[in-house]
Amino acid sequence: MSVVASVIFGSLALGASVVPPIVVLVLCIVAGVGTVMLLPGRKERSIRKIGGALLLVVFLVFVALLVRQEAMKGATQVYFWLFSGIAVMSAMRVISHEKPVYSALYFVLTVVATAGLFVLLWAEFVAAALILIYAGAILVTYVFVIMLAQQVERVGKVTVGAEYDRHSREPVLASAVGFVMMGLILFLIFDGSAATNLAGVKANVGVQGTTKQVGEYVFIRQTVSLEVAALVLTVAMIGAVIIARRQVPETRAVDPGRVAVQDDDPHNVPVYGTENPRAKAYPER
Amino acid sequence: MVMGVMEIGLAHYLVLGAVLLVCGLVTILTKRNAIGILIGVELVLNAANINLVAFNRYSHGVSEGGGVALAGQVFAIFVIVLAAAEAAVALSIFLNFYNNFTSVDVEKAKELRG
């Protein structure tokens, strides 16, 4: 993936007008093979290391080229390459990392790099909201659920992740689908005969997404959408609470002739992570 | 169609959005952990956000009321809102799923019933 990105970005940087579609096709196939090598699966680790090293070397060469090219240019363009490189590399790690916690953390790295790009695009409020919501709220929820619902297995003395984390599902087919789609999109972007000429589009300097402007726009123009968003959030919150609530089954019928003794020994209370997950519901009363 | 030599244009952001979209798509297709699949969905939404904000920056003119055209950024904010709502509901479903199956492997989700 970074191969494709680097070559395309590189040819953009060198002033190439149109990337030939056949080159894009070949690069997508090569990057797909590299991703297959990198994915966790029933392969030797050396193959994965080779795949990772291949992508890393290409990325380093690309960064070196860029630094040489950008040395005398404006600073904001360097920031674009920096942020987009971080975003693409960490998105690759989201795909290839075995442990879901690290996948979530790399995803947040992608989001932070995206926020940097939004600042470059004069969307300050969106950037701040992105960091607050993703890195602050969604990441915590993800890590919380991953910690609650994590399985480890022991192979000998080594503790490894769950089987479904260590083995990918349909690596070849998934990479093929992904990179065919990428080739299609890139072909449309670089197609010179497309209806819209992307090269002629200039930045609209009037657009500045400061909090004041975004607030005025939302509360004056998009009031109905704002109300609907609030409704959606409320419904989602109630739904999440209802779905995640454990249904405590009605346990043994109470013998009427016997006074029920409340077992308040703390060692008898079922706990998360013990061997019987069905019995871990706390007593309701 | 001659690009400015070092000018960062709309096409750069579109290419980045396409790359991140495919990263998210491959994540959805290859992960067997349900939470990993949800992370892939969030990556796809993030790529869409990049496209929206970039189009907002590079779109021409002002909106019809005479104010600043900010529809793309506001759309991105609503996408973030929906992503947060979706993450909350989906993660609670996964918690429930783990309570029943002791696993978040989506291959085991064949036994779900309405």
Side-chain angles (χ1 to χ4, degrees):
Chain A
M1 216 164 292
S2 58
V3 183
V4 179
S6 64
V7 171
I8 287 167
F9 283 155
S11 57
L12 282 178
L14 293 174
S17 56
V18 177
V19 177
I22 187 70
V23 175
V24 173
L25 192 66
V26 170
L27 286 174
C28 287
I29 292 172
V30 172
V33 172
T35 312
V36 171
M37 290 170 69
L38 194 62
L39 281 171
R42 293 179 187 81
K43 299 186 284 281
E44 296 185 16
R45 298 194 71 82
S46 58
I47 299 180
R48 294 192 60 204
K49 283 179 182 168
I50 291 171
L54 199 70
L55 294 178
L56 190 66
V57 164
V58 173
F59 184 72
L60 285 180
V61 169
F62 161 63
V63 168
L65 281 176
L66 280 182
V67 168
R68 205 191 59 188
Q69 294 251 339
E70 301 279 340
M72 68 290 288
K73 303 290 180 181
T76 57
Q77 294 169 358
V78 179
Y79 282 123
F80 172 80
W81 299 111
L82 195 65
F83 284 134
S84 55
I86 291 173
V88 172
M89 289 303 284
S90 50
M92 281 301 297
R93 290 304 280 151
V94 170
I95 297 177
S96 60
H97 210 290
E98 297 181 8
K99 297 180 180 172
V101 176
Y102 285 91
S103 281
L105 291 177
Y106 276 113
F107 165 68
V108 167
L109 188 58
T110 306
V111 166
V112 170
T114 309
L117 288 172
F118 285 177
V119 172
L120 290 183
L121 285 169
W122 293 89
E124 304 163 10
F125 180 75
V126 185
L130 201 68
I131 289 184
L132 281 177
I133 295 174
Y134 273 99
I138 294 185
L139 171 71
V140 173
T141 320
Y142 272 100
V143 172
F144 175 70
V145 175
I146 289 171
M147 295 294 178
L148 276 184
Q150 198 172 29
Q151 279 188 319
V152 290
E153 295 171 0
R154 290 186 189 281
V155 177
K157 290 183 177 179
V158 187
T159 305
V160 294
E163 197 272 337
Y164 52 83
D165 283 333
R166 283 181 286 121
H167 297 299
S168 304
R169 177 185 50 178
E170 302 281 355
V172 179
L173 198 59
S175 298
V177 168
F179 284 96
V180 164
M181 187 165 177
M182 179 191 246
L184 181 66
I185 297 173
L186 293 182
F187 174 74
L188 286 178
I189 290 176
F190 288 110
D191 189 10
S193 63
T196 53
N197 191 353
L198 293 177
V201 179
K202 293 275 179 274
N204 187 3
V205 290
V207 171
Q208 292 186 0
T210 59
T211 309
K212 179 171 182 288
Q213 289 180 330
V214 171
E216 283 174 356
Y217 191 88
V218 169
F219 282 94
I220 294 174
R221 304 286 193 78
Q222 304 283 334
T223 319
V224 180
S225 310
L226 189 74
E227 302 288 342
V228 172
L231 188 65
V232 165
L233 278 180
T234 311
V235 170
M237 187 178 69
I238 296 172
V241 169
I242 289 177
I243 291 171
R245 202 175 67 92
R246 291 186 304 268
Q247 279 101 25
V248 180
E250 201 59 48
T251 48
R252 46 194 150 12
V254 181
D255 188 359
R258 199 172 133 248
V259 178
V261 179
Q262 188 74 33
D263 183 12
D264 55 356
D265 183 3
H267 294 288
N268 290 341
V269 176
V271 182
Y272 274 113
T274 51
E275 53 271 5
N276 185 7
R278 287 179 185 276
K280 71 190 173 191
Y282 291 92
E284 290 272 79
R285 26 186 189 87
Chain B
M1 180 175 173
V2 177
M3 295 271 177
V5 177
M6 292 308 294
E7 198 75 21
I8 301 295
L10 180 57
H12 294 71
Y13 288 99
L14 294 187
V15 169
L16 178 67
V19 171
L20 286 181
L21 175 98
V22 171
C23 284
L25 189 66
V26 174
T27 308
I28 294 172
L29 290 175
T30 56
K31 293 278 180 186
R32 287 171 62 195
N33 191 333
I35 301 166
I37 291 177
L38 193 58
I39 291 175
V41 173
E42 302 279 343
L43 264 181
V44 171
L45 290 176
N46 201 32
N49 268 349
I50 290 179
N51 272 12
L52 286 172
V53 176
F55 274 121
N56 186 69
R57 171 70 173 161
Y58 289 97
S59 66
H60 277 286
V62 290
S63 58
E64 60 276 7
V68 189
L70 282 176
Q73 294 188 17
V74 172
F75 211 103
I77 290 171
F78 285 135
V79 168
I80 295 172
V81 167
L82 287 182
E86 166 233 330
V89 174
L91 287 175
S92 62
I93 290 176
F94 295 156
L95 262 188
N96 216 340
F97 181 61
Y98 180 79
N99 281 342
N100 287 326
F101 288 90
T102 336
S103 165
V104 282
D105 186 1
V106 290
E107 311 274 328
K108 293 189 179 175
K110 295 164 185 165
E111 305 173 31
L112 288 181
R113 59 193 158 77

